[in-house]
Amino acid sequence: MRMKLDRRTFLAGSSALAILPYIGFARAADRTNPIIALDADIGNLDPGNRVGTTEGNIIRSVCQTLVRFEPGKTSWTNDAAKEIKQISDTEFDFELNPGQMFTGGFGEMTADDVKYSFDRYINGDKSGKKLAYADDMEALKSVEVTGKYTGKLILKHPSAALWLIGICDASGAILSKKAVEQLGDKIATTLIGSGPMVLKEWRPKEQFVLAANPDYKGPYKAHFEEITGKIIPEHKTSFLSYQAKELDFTAFDADQLDTAKGLPDTKVIDIPGIDYTWIGINVEKGDLADIKVRQAIRWAIDVDAIIQGAYSGATSRAKTLLAPGLLGNWADAPLYTRDVAKAQALLAETGKTGLTFTFTCLNDATSLAVAQIAQANLAEVGITLTINAMDSGAYWALGADDASKDLELTLIPYTSKFDPSFQTQWFLASQIGLWNWQRWNSPEFDKLHQEGLETLDKAKREAIYINMQKLLDESASCIWITHGRNFFVDAAWLKPMFLPNGKDWQFEFFDKA
């Protein structure tokens, strides 16, 4: 999954500045402040309700967390915390560094701010509504304040995932209690932090500017005075801008690899993906509620042709939710090679004819190619697909207020984290109406998800997540396409930094080569 296909990227344009299209620009390669391309705009800057990696990457650079991921690694070191002591499997004491100041005149960070920030995941927002990323902190029972800079994290149960996908990541951002209460709903478009950078400017659909925070007191001072992020939805467009020396860093598509390798003063970065793109089938919608119809669609769609035609054969196909290399990868998952006869036989058993469905996707070239191949495949078994290609704002807005209830087939690209629980949470019954666009409801799956969160034994966790993927497979609600592959070009003078998934960019650690 590419960043432009990142999970849940819709625009908050109504509450921000004037909306402008991307326009090419000329610049000298001053090698002072890099200009980079992103294919998804900011959607929601509230850490607990963020939309995807664009906001996550900004939040981690602007806000402090108790502990911060080290450059390019999933190991972590102290950030806002001066010290963290493990008292037991379910109790941790923390002490903050004094003198850490929030921007905007909102004062010094204290343990009250930590409690306030984390309590939002436990209790919901000011109206009690569950935060979108609440499950990142599922194991957290309470935060107790014991002094101005000290407190305790009390867990409901031992957790292997809490630090990796919660406290170290954007969900662990420490917010100013005073700022959040004062801003109210504006927390979605205004980010107050105490970290290495500040969000100096945001012009929706055009650009944002991160600047070094002159008041940052921690050890991870930004290497650049500014980093400008240009919003360019299509990789082909941003790649042309890079070649014109208008950009210093961008992702690009697989079919441009040979060209990228021939560019002067350029480094090419190739990172295998751990994300997951799939065709989701709404199990509640009309004829799709019949599992034989869903099974027929799965046999009819030629995923191998999609890999060749839409992805230029540059990535391998997926056969299950969790990518190779992740805990819980189901190596023996079945591979559904296209079988028209099986698809037709299943449809004949249903007695249904003249089936017509809508295929919803993003309106980028890759997604449209996937849709067109699926459309042609299904036509051969008597199913008509109408393609509904949407811009990213409208598409990701389907993740709120049950707007997804009428979807039928949908091409869905989600970003992975390093613990399997992050991936499985979006298929829970509690996500129906939000991000479970299949509207699949399995009490057994939900029960196993909770067991996975509470289990520390690696072998037992692996078995749990494999069993969860078997349940997904039995539902025929998901046709897995790819875990992706991430290609980037950057100017030889620039040293970008990412976590190992290639999607979590560490702006605070971007440096000169």
Side-chain angles (χ1 to χ4, degrees):
M1 176 182 66
R2 298 191 307 239
M3 186 172 267
K4 72 177 173 187
L5 301 179
D6 183 23
R7 180 162 51 86
R8 304 175 302 170
T9 303
F10 67 91
L11 301 177
S14 61
S15 53
L17 304 176
I19 296 176
L20 298 170
Y22 169 72
I23 300 173
F25 59 97
R27 69 181 290 258
D30 57 17
R31 303 191 178 195
T32 301
N33 295 317
I35 299 177
I36 67 176
L38 298 94
D39 39 29
D41 202 356
I42 294 169
N44 189 326
L45 290 168
D46 176 351
N49 288 312
R50 66 190 188 274
V51 175
T53 54
T54 296
E55 297 98 328
N57 296 339
I58 292 171
I59 289 165
R60 285 194 307 275
S61 67
V62 170
C63 296
Q64 288 184 278
T65 47
L66 288 176
V67 289
R68 180 177 293 269
F69 285 123
E70 295 181 298
K73 301 177 181 179
T74 56
S75 54
W76 56 79
T77 187
N78 287 351
D79 183 11
K82 179 180 180 180
E83 184 178 32
I84 295 179
K85 292 181 180 179
Q86 182 172 354
I87 307 304
S88 69
D89 285 346
T90 57
E91 184 177 343
F92 297 82
D93 286 351
F94 68 86
E95 180 183 356
L96 298 175
N97 290 300
Q100 298 174 130
M101 307 301 293
F102 289 109
T103 56
F106 285 102
E108 184 184 19
M109 179 193 296
T110 69
D112 283 329
D113 297 302
V114 177
K115 176 176 174 57
Y116 181 81
S117 300
F118 290 0
D119 276 356
R120 298 178 72 237
Y121 294 88
I122 300 169
N123 304 320
D125 63 16
K126 62 182 180 181
S127 64
K129 184 179 179 181
K130 179 180 177 180
L131 302 187
Y133 279 75
D135 283 348
D136 285 2
M137 298 287 204
E138 179 280 336
L140 190 60
K141 179 181 179 181
S142 63
V143 180
E144 297 178 4
V145 174
T146 59
K148 184 176 182 180
Y149 302 116
T150 59
K152 292 180 179 290
L153 305 180
I154 308 298
L155 277 55
K156 292 182 283 190
H157 53 76
S159 174
L162 177 63
W163 298 86
L164 189 61
I165 67 172
I167 290 174
C168 283
D169 208 343
S171 292
I174 302 170
L175 303 176
S176 161
K177 177 181 178 181
K178 181 180 178 182
V180 174
E181 291 179 340
Q182 181 173 313
L183 288 168
D185 292 342
K186 291 181 181 178
I187 187 177
T189 56
T190 305
L191 188 60
I192 301 295
S194 58
M197 310 192 85
V198 297
L199 183 58
K200 177 181 177 181
E201 173 188 312
W202 172 34
R203 285 181 276 172
K205 289 191 175 182
E206 184 182 0
Q207 72 174 31
F208 64 81
V209 178
L210 291 169
N213 180 1
D215 298 321
Y216 173 62
K217 298 296 192 291
Y220 308 112
K221 293 186 181 297
H223 298 290
F224 291 109
E225 292 181 6
E226 290 185 354
I227 296 176
T228 299
K230 294 284 179 179
I231 310 305
I232 309 177
E234 280 287 349
H235 285 170
K236 286 180 171 55
T237 303
S238 61
F239 188 58
L240 288 171
S241 294
Y242 177 85
Q243 293 177 76
K245 300 189 183 300
E246 297 169 353
L247 297 171
D248 301 305
F249 173 82
T250 184
F252 67 91
D253 290 332
D255 59 2
Q256 300 164 323
L257 182 58
D258 289 341
T259 301
K261 289 180 177 178
L263 295 177
D265 301 317
T266 292
K267 293 176 291 181
V268 176
I269 302 169
D270 180 358
I271 302 175
I274 63 169
D275 300 321
Y276 50 118
T277 295
W278 78 102
I279 297 170
I281 304 175
N282 185 342
V283 302
E284 293 182 351
K285 184 70 172 175
D287 290 319
L288 294 173
D290 188 332
I291 190 170
K292 289 185 178 180
V293 173
R294 302 198 299 272
Q295 290 170 335
I297 291 171
R298 184 165 63 182
W299 282 116
I301 290 180
D302 191 343
V303 177
D304 292 316
I306 288 172
I307 296 299
Q308 293 300 318
Y311 295 91
S312 302
T315 186
S316 57
R317 67 173 289 185
K319 57 181 182 179
T320 189
L321 170 62
L322 299 174
L326 292 179
L327 177 72
N329 170 251
W330 182 20
D332 297 326
L335 192 66
Y336 293 94
T337 302
R338 189 177 193 230
D339 192 321
V340 172
K342 284 184 179 179
Q344 290 173 330
L346 283 162
L347 290 174
E349 289 178 28
T350 70
K352 301 177 189 296
T353 59
L355 294 175
T356 300
F357 302 116
T358 298
F359 187 103
T360 301
C361 65
L362 286 156
N363 62 358
D364 63 277
T366 300
S367 298
L368 285 169
V370 173
Q372 289 160 3
I373 293 169
Q375 184 182 53
N377 291 161
L378 292 180
E380 290 184 44
V381 299
I383 297 176
T384 300
L385 275 192
T386 300
I387 297 173
N388 174 32
M390 305 175 71
D391 65 42
S392 62
Y395 178 90
W396 293 113
L398 294 169
D401 302 322
D402 210 21
S404 61
K405 66 180 183 301
D406 292 322
L407 291 174
E408 293 180 323
L409 277 70
T410 311
L411 182 66
I412 309 173
Y414 276 13
T415 298
S416 290
K417 298 290 185 180
F418 305 103
D419 189 88
S421 63
F422 183 84
Q423 282 77 279
T424 56
Q425 67 178 307
W426 310 114
F427 299 86
L428 298 173
S430 61
Q431 286 291 329
I432 293 173
L434 296 170
W435 303 112
N436 179 352
W437 291 358
Q438 294 75 228
R439 306 183 74 84
W440 177 63
N441 183 345
S442 169
E444 184 178 357
F445 184 94
D446 291 8
K447 179 175 178 291
L448 287 170
H449 176 78
Q450 190 63 35
E451 289 179 9
L453 290 171
E454 297 179 9
T455 301
L456 295 180
D457 183 89
K458 183 177 179 180
K460 291 180 179 178
R461 292 192 86 214
E462 183 159 29
I464 287 169
Y465 290 110
I466 288 174
N467 285 333
M468 293 175 74
Q469 290 166 95
K470 289 180 178 179
L471 292 172
L472 269 176
D473 181 70
E474 291 169 6
S475 76
S477 61
C478 301
I479 301 171
W480 307 108
I481 305 297
T482 182
H483 295 298
R485 188 172 168 191
N486 304 296
F487 295 105
F488 305 98
V489 284
D490 71 283
W493 67 271
L494 178 64
K495 183 182 178 182
M497 190 61 63
F498 336 77
L499 293 179
N501 63 355
K503 293 295 175 61
D504 290 327
W505 301 357
Q506 297 174 288
F507 293 129
E508 67 274 27
F509 295 127
F510 274 43
D511 200 355
K512 291 183 178 180

